[in-house]
Amino acid sequence: MADLNTSERHERALIIDFGSQVTQLIARRLRESGVYCEIHPFNKADEAFIRSYDPQAIILSGGPSSVTWEDSPRADNAVFELGVPVLGICYGQQTMMEQLGGKVESGTSREFGRAFIDQQSDDPLFEGLFEGDNQEEVWMSHGDHVAQMAPGFGVIAKSPGAPYAVIADPERKFYGTQFHPEVVHTVHGAKMLRNFTHGIAGLKGDWTMAAYREEAIAKIREQVGSGRVICGLSGGVDSSVAAVLIHEAIGSQLTCVYVDHGLMRANESEQVVSLFREHYNIPLVHVDASDLFLGELAGVSDPERKRKIIGKLFIDVFDEEAKKIGGADFLAQGTLYPDVIESVSAIGGPSVTIKSHHNVGGLPERMKMQLVEPLRELFKDEVRALGRELGLPDAFIGRHPFPGPGLAIRIPGEITREKADTLRKADAIYLEELRKNGLYDDIWQAFAVLLPVNTVGVMGDERTYESVLALRAVTSTDGMTADYFPFDHAFLGRVATRIINEVKGVNRVVYDITSKPPGTIEWE
């Protein structure tokens, strides 16, 4: 895990990850209330680490394992010996009980989905909750359950399927919830987490974006010294914010390199070059490498091979450009905290594939540069907040997320220049209509996908055999879970008609209404 030294002046919480697909949401909720926190996998959070990290509160996440299994994950005993408040969530509650002398049973009491808990006694954890009918709506997801509490614990809330829905040892400030307060489905879950961090643990919530900006600049100056930095701009929010932040820290020691790989959205290159050369006056090298990238991608259909080819070529181009400017000591990237967390996941899963276009594991040995990753501690919404703090235009900050490989992962199958041009035109029409109808800012991410499917159609008096285009638009508060945007049919009809009329090669448009539950990946 990253060495996040910029937080040294702040109170901090530690989240120990047992592999839940929504662990990141715990961190997001804490950050939203001004509490600095980090996520570390259970198998790396040993006593030495925990004591050196010096948390003022600890949260044990959920996870897919059963504490009844042999060799199932456990928290280091230092968690319960440090003398700080501890909150166990779902699996975290269960391992807490097993480790402190309670008992967990498997398979006899299951709850999945919405449930209602009833308060059994007053507790600081419930400050401002249980008003009206004395019930709270929560989100359960468990097969195991606590059958016997550890000594010192009492029940403070229960549900029909979980008699130990919330338990507490007030003297030691140990708490456990069978449900997930971090998800939006637990209506007042964020309030409950705040009650734990601010009320029970006594944290003030002193972590702000203004403070982060100041500390990040100091850290960049300390790391870089008099060295030179080359920053790879992708055209997205992350790399742009990173570049502006680094430029504020070291000025002319930074050179940005924008590589046009031929797979950008319409007018993307012109917008990026204009923003950085004219608005910020940041030294920028614009490299048109479309022939190189499209040539290497010719005939490649496997999505993971595409990512690896693109990632390698980016590094090659940056290395070459660094030599042209007389060498660089550092390569700057817009790596975010979710990339870092997933790259060192305790449990494994799809993150290796999802994040394979980020160099979170370091650079090739042949490159003599070190990485500068000033956004490594931030979530996506925090990056946007930092961008506003730095004065980036709202229109740029509010851009929908767009992956580094660009249109390459919006063209399943082989990529050609003709396909990229077709998709680029259709995608531009889609985004133009979203903005024209005031919908762009209501949507977290929207894009078009050129499917590897042709259909027979009749256009005028001619029969056509052309491509099917899929449109996708999702709403999200965290970027981890998402639901499709409920367009009205009139809007979809207008967009489809424009695309079919204006984009040669497309004769059918469909709208993807797939939701994105936690743990799934985007179109590939």
Side-chain angles (χ1 to χ4, degrees):
M1 182 58 65
D3 178 17
L4 306 183
N5 292 326
T6 62
S7 61
E8 285 178 349
R9 294 179 241 167
H10 301 292
E11 304 164 321
R12 55 173 62 189
L14 171 63
I15 300 167
I16 296 180
D17 183 20
F18 291 99
S20 169
Q21 57 190 345
V22 291
T23 297
Q24 289 188 31
L25 295 184
I26 305 173
R28 293 181 64 86
R29 300 297 170 254
L30 268 58
R31 296 273 188 95
E32 288 164 3
S33 64
V35 174
Y36 182 81
C37 60
E38 295 178 22
I39 298 172
H40 289 268
F42 74 91
N43 56 356
K44 296 184 181 180
D46 58 14
E47 180 175 3
F49 168 79
I50 292 170
R51 293 190 182 280
S52 66
Y53 183 83
D54 190 28
Q56 283 74 62
I58 297 175
I59 296 179
L60 309 178
S61 84
S65 302
S66 168
V67 296
T68 63
W69 298 347
E70 186 177 355
D71 298 325
S72 58
R74 291 289 187 270
D76 193 282
N77 288 332
V79 167
F80 308 111
E81 298 168 354
L82 201 61
V84 302
V86 180
L87 171 64
I89 296 173
C90 198
Y91 183 89
Q93 180 204 49
Q94 293 164 9
T95 192
M96 176 190 288
M97 288 299 95
E98 283 281 340
Q99 291 182 241
L100 295 179
K103 184 175 177 57
V104 173
E105 292 181 348
S106 180
T108 59
S109 177
R110 303 173 61 191
E111 277 185 305
F112 295 95
R114 184 180 292 105
F116 292 88
I117 60 172
D118 297 294
Q119 184 176 5
Q120 301 300 297
S121 63
D122 291 333
D123 192 274
L125 192 68
F126 299 149
E127 180 70 30
L129 279 72
F130 288 102
E131 298 177 351
D133 59 4
N134 211 39
Q135 283 191 329
E136 281 290 332
E137 184 177 331
V138 301
W139 191 259
M140 295 282 188
S141 181
H142 69 97
D144 296 354
H145 70 281
V146 175
Q148 179 182 323
M149 289 182 294
F153 282 82
V155 178
I156 57 175
K158 66 179 182 179
S159 74
Y164 304 107
V166 188
I167 58 177
D169 179 342
E171 184 175 339
R172 290 183 287 181
K173 297 184 178 180
F174 290 170
Y175 286 80
T177 68
Q178 184 58 78
F179 56 89
H180 289 270
E182 68 272 29
V183 301
V184 295
H185 309 78
T186 296
V187 177
H188 295 119
K191 173 67 174 173
M192 193 175 298
L193 288 170
R194 183 182 176 89
N195 285 342
F196 173 72
T197 56
H198 290 64
I200 293 166
L203 303 183
K204 297 185 296 292
D206 63 352
W207 194 71
T208 65
M209 198 49 62
Y212 183 90
R213 173 187 180 179
E214 178 184 342
E215 294 160 10
I217 287 172
K219 183 180 179 181
I220 292 166
R221 289 172 178 164
E222 180 182 0
Q223 179 186 6
V224 172
S226 60
R228 293 190 59 82
V229 179
I230 187 170
C231 178
L233 283 178
S234 69
V237 174
D238 305 336
S239 63
S240 299
V241 171
V244 173
L245 180 65
I246 294 169
H247 185 254
E248 186 168 305
I250 60 172
S252 61
Q253 292 170 247
L254 169 70
T255 299
C256 290
V257 176
Y258 174 69
V259 179
D260 184 349
H261 49 28
L263 296 161
M264 305 304 294
R265 282 177 151 162
N267 303 316
E268 191 96 49
S269 297
E270 294 82 357
Q271 292 168 5
V272 171
V273 171
S274 173
L275 177 69
F276 283 87
R277 281 186 179 163
E278 298 172 17
H279 186 80
Y280 283 102
N281 197 29
I282 297 176
L284 174 66
V285 177
H286 179 197
V287 182
D288 183 354
S290 55
D291 289 341
L292 171 65
F293 278 79
L294 292 172
E296 290 292 323
L297 289 167
V300 179
S301 298
D302 179 72
E304 186 60 13
R305 279 194 63 203
K306 292 180 193 175
R307 288 182 182 271
K308 289 180 178 178
I309 289 170
I310 291 171
K312 177 183 178 301
L313 291 177
F314 267 127
I315 293 296
D316 290 344
V317 172
F318 293 146
D319 201 19
E320 185 63 29
E321 292 303 322
K323 293 174 183 175
K324 290 180 182 178
I325 64 172
D329 307 290
F330 301 89
L331 173 65
Q333 294 188 150
T335 306
L336 303 191
Y337 195 41
D339 305 327
V340 179
I341 296 167
E342 291 170 1
S343 72
V344 294
S345 171
I347 305 300
S351 61
V352 173
T353 298
I354 296 173
K355 299 300 178 186
S356 58
H357 61 285
H358 286 275
N359 297 301
V360 292
L363 296 172
E365 288 186 9
R366 64 181 173 81
M367 294 191 75
K368 304 305 180 183
M369 292 181 276
Q370 300 176 49
L371 282 175
V372 178
E373 298 170 308
L375 311 183
R376 198 174 170 89
E377 304 173 26
L378 302 181
F379 289 101
K380 189 75 173 187
D381 58 327
E382 294 171 330
V383 173
R384 295 188 193 280
L386 178 59
R388 294 186 184 95
E389 181 75 26
L390 291 164
L392 269 80
D394 283 341
F396 203 86
I397 291 298
R399 277 183 170 181
H400 292 175
F402 190 59
L407 300 180
I409 60 171
R410 307 293 187 232
I411 305 175
E414 182 183 0
I415 297 171
T416 64
R417 190 180 294 273
E418 181 182 18
K419 287 182 179 180
D421 289 340
T422 298
L423 178 56
R424 197 167 7 249
K425 292 174 185 175
D427 184 72
I429 291 171
Y430 183 30
L431 297 186
E432 180 185 322
E433 288 294 327
L434 289 176
R435 291 190 173 96
K436 185 188 299 183
N437 288 272
L439 297 173
Y440 187 88
D441 292 335
D442 295 332
I443 293 168
W444 187 78
Q445 185 182 46
F447 54 85
V449 179
L450 189 65
L451 300 179
V453 176
N454 281 18
T455 62
V456 174
V458 175
M459 301 176 71
D461 295 325
E462 296 183 3
R463 175 176 288 181
T464 62
Y465 186 61
E466 295 178 329
S467 298
V468 177
L469 186 91
L471 303 178
R472 181 146 170 76
V474 296
T475 58
S476 179
T477 57
D478 49 51
M480 293 182 62
T481 61
D483 204 356
Y484 69 90
F485 186 81
F487 288 122
D488 61 51
H489 289 288
F491 173 81
L492 290 174
R494 286 195 300 274
V495 175
T497 298
R498 278 200 62 189
I499 290 173
I500 291 170
N501 285 342
E502 299 176 33
V503 182
K504 183 176 175 55
V506 176
N507 70 357
R508 192 176 304 275
V509 176
V510 298
Y511 181 52
D512 172 18
I513 61 170
T514 306
S515 295
K516 179 188 173 188
T520 62
I521 63 174
E522 60 190 10
W523 264 97
E524 190 66 276

